[in-house]
Amino acid sequence: MWLSERRKFLGKCLGGLALASLSLTACGFTPVYGPQGTGDRLQGKITLQAPETRNSYQFNRHFETRMGRPANAPYVLKVKLSTEELDQGATSTGNTTRFKVTGYANYVLSEGKTQLLSGSTSAFTGYSNTGSTVATMASENDAYERLMVILADQVIDDLILSAGNLPE
């Protein structure tokens, strides 16, 4: 493609993007982190349950890293985490070489005794079982930690997108 053709193409694309963003603004779309956005509304205002397992600790740690440590938080988030592990690959001798770990997070956001939001999300990761025992254990721990980060990010995204519907 010649340079002049590329300029025309980019001009059309950028013009289309400007038109799309203008039409989104006209329909009431507001970016959550833009002016009048609700992205920061929950920052430092959500208390989590004390972690009881390694998974819930990792979930809480990532959640608080993104959303801040609460100080006199009006909201409480209760999260029920569960995981399941499935064999994915095997050698001709029947040894499992790969595992898929699926995680589920069911959550309820409440203020006092009033339930404000609830939802669920799921994600998966995997790990390999082809190295030494120590390498396999490290790979497994890493897979579960990555899974908790993904689930925490998904819950946070759901909460931020719903923050505009919460009472002020």
Side-chain angles (χ1 to χ4, degrees):
M1 185 182 286
W2 292 99
L3 184 59
S4 61
E5 292 174 359
R6 287 183 185 164
R7 287 183 184 152
K8 287 179 189 175
F9 176 74
L10 284 174
K12 288 180 184 178
C13 288
L14 293 176
L17 287 174
L19 183 60
S21 66
L22 182 61
S23 64
L24 285 174
T25 304
C27 75
F29 172 78
T30 304
V32 292
Y33 290 112
Q36 293 93 34
T38 58
D40 295 332
R41 189 172 184 186
L42 297 175
Q43 198 73 28
K45 296 182 180 171
I46 300 175
T47 301
L48 297 167
Q49 292 176 298
E52 297 176 358
T53 64
R54 180 184 181 113
N55 286 341
S56 60
Y57 169 77
Q58 291 169 339
F59 180 94
N60 288 7
R61 184 179 69 187
H62 186 71
F63 190 95
E64 287 183 351
T65 298
R66 276 199 57 198
M67 296 299 289
R69 280 214 165 230
N72 300 325
Y75 304 115
V76 175
L77 183 68
K78 294 181 181 175
V79 182
K80 182 178 182 263
L81 297 169
S82 60
T83 59
E84 65 184 30
E85 193 171 299
L86 299 170
D87 300 349
Q88 287 289 297
T91 63
S92 59
T93 59
N95 294 332
T96 303
T97 59
R98 186 109 183 118
F99 293 95
K100 176 183 176 185
V101 183
T102 306
Y104 306 93
N106 297 310
Y107 62 90
V108 175
L109 182 72
S110 55
E111 184 176 26
K113 293 186 179 189
T114 306
Q115 179 179 322
L116 301 173
L117 296 171
S118 66
S120 63
T121 187
S122 64
F124 70 92
T125 60
Y127 68 95
S128 191
N129 183 25
T130 57
S132 66
T133 304
V134 172
T136 300
M137 288 175 56
S139 181
E140 179 182 13
N141 289 339
D142 182 63
Y144 277 91
E145 184 172 351
R146 285 183 285 121
L147 182 60
M148 293 305 116
V149 167
I150 293 168
L151 291 174
D153 282 339
Q154 289 177 345
V155 169
I156 290 167
D157 291 345
D158 286 353
L159 293 173
I160 288 173
L161 290 173
S162 301
N165 300 330
L166 296 175
E168 295 218 23

